[in-house]
Amino acid sequence: MVDDLFELSRIHAGTLRIRPERVPLGDLVSDAVASADPVARARRVRLGGEVEDGVEVVADPAGLSRVIANLLSNAIRHTPADGVVEIHGGRVAGGVELSVSDSCGGIESHDLPRLFDVAWQGDAARSPGVSARERGAGLGLAIVRGIVEAHEGRIEVVNVAPGVGCRFVVRLPA
Ligand SMILES: Nc1ncnc2c1ncn2[C@@H]1O[C@H](COP(=O)(O)OP(=O)(O)OP(=O)(O)O)[C@@H](O)[C@H]1O
Ligand SMILES: [Mg+2]
């Protein structure tokens, strides 16, 4: 939490330092999936997906790993038992796209743009599967967006199908 606050202040001051290097996206995703897997198993959430072979991204490895870890942890936390969380990565025109989709039941369309705001956590009544102990500080997505934008990338969230889930989509320049 204290680390998150420092990270956020650097993002807001425009002094977040990233050291981009060419890294295999699949490696970062496999590591993040391996770390998240015990939490997913404990919640009986199926965690899957794949990254297209040979995709490389020019990114700060620690920063991008944090982005992936935050998106996976949110997705797992908001998915009920027997639901599915999937991560996919691949090339798109002009760069690389990474998406994390979940079975959260969908997000009210008027809330979609607010998810990335500092401290916004929505209505506890709409996240019945999330215990008080699991609730964070509402900083994760603000940090995720800051890191993505420091890479000149973009992030958005969309609902996948009515009442099913949502998908966070990160696009990074090649
Ligand atoms: N994958 C998701 N599915 C559904 N709702 C989500 C998802 N990710 C985030 N949200 C909603 O957006 C809010 C903000 O997310 P964010 O990651 O910024 O904060 P947090 O997870 O509550 O706390 P922190 O990340 O600081 O531990 C969450 O409280 C939740 O209401
Ligand atoms: Mg979070």
Side-chain angles (χ1 to χ4, degrees):
M1 162 85 180
V2 173
D3 281 352
D4 284 355
L5 286 171
F6 276 124
E7 188 93 335
L8 256 191
S9 64
R10 281 190 286 264
I11 288 166
H12 285 146
T15 57
L16 179 72
R17 250 193 301 274
I18 57 164
R19 292 193 180 79
E21 48 186 89
R22 187 168 291 280
V23 282
L25 183 63
D27 289 0
L28 297 186
V29 169
S30 312
D31 288 352
V33 166
S35 304
D37 198 53
V39 185
R41 280 173 189 277
R43 295 186 62 109
R44 285 199 292 128
V45 168
R46 277 185 290 139
L47 181 55
E50 64 184 333
V51 174
E52 217 177 281
D53 275 345
V55 177
E56 292 192 324
V57 60
V58 178
D60 182 284
L64 187 53
S65 295
R66 185 163 193 180
V67 165
I68 300 169
N70 278 2
L71 293 177
L72 285 178
S73 105
N74 280 346
I76 293 165
R77 190 190 296 166
H78 291 280
T79 292
D82 300 321
V84 179
V85 169
E86 285 205 353
I87 180 162
H88 288 278
R91 297 177 190 86
V92 291
V96 163
E97 186 176 283
L98 180 75
S99 70
V100 175
S101 49
D102 66 25
S103 319
C104 70
I107 296 171
E108 305 259 3
S109 53
H110 62 263
D111 286 337
L112 286 172
R114 301 171 61 197
L115 260 67
F116 299 96
D117 293 351
V118 173
W120 190 86
Q121 295 198 287
D123 181 355
R126 287 193 299 97
S127 306
V130 181
S131 67
R133 191 170 51 80
E134 285 178 315
R135 284 179 83 79
L139 303 179
L141 287 176
I143 291 170
V144 163
R145 182 171 62 181
I147 295 172
V148 169
E149 289 181 351
H151 285 84
E152 280 160 27
R154 292 287 166 264
I155 182 163
E156 61 167 359
V157 56
V158 293
N159 281 315
V160 279
V164 175
C166 61
R167 177 184 295 130
F168 287 78
V169 184
V170 174
R171 280 188 205 88
L172 295 172

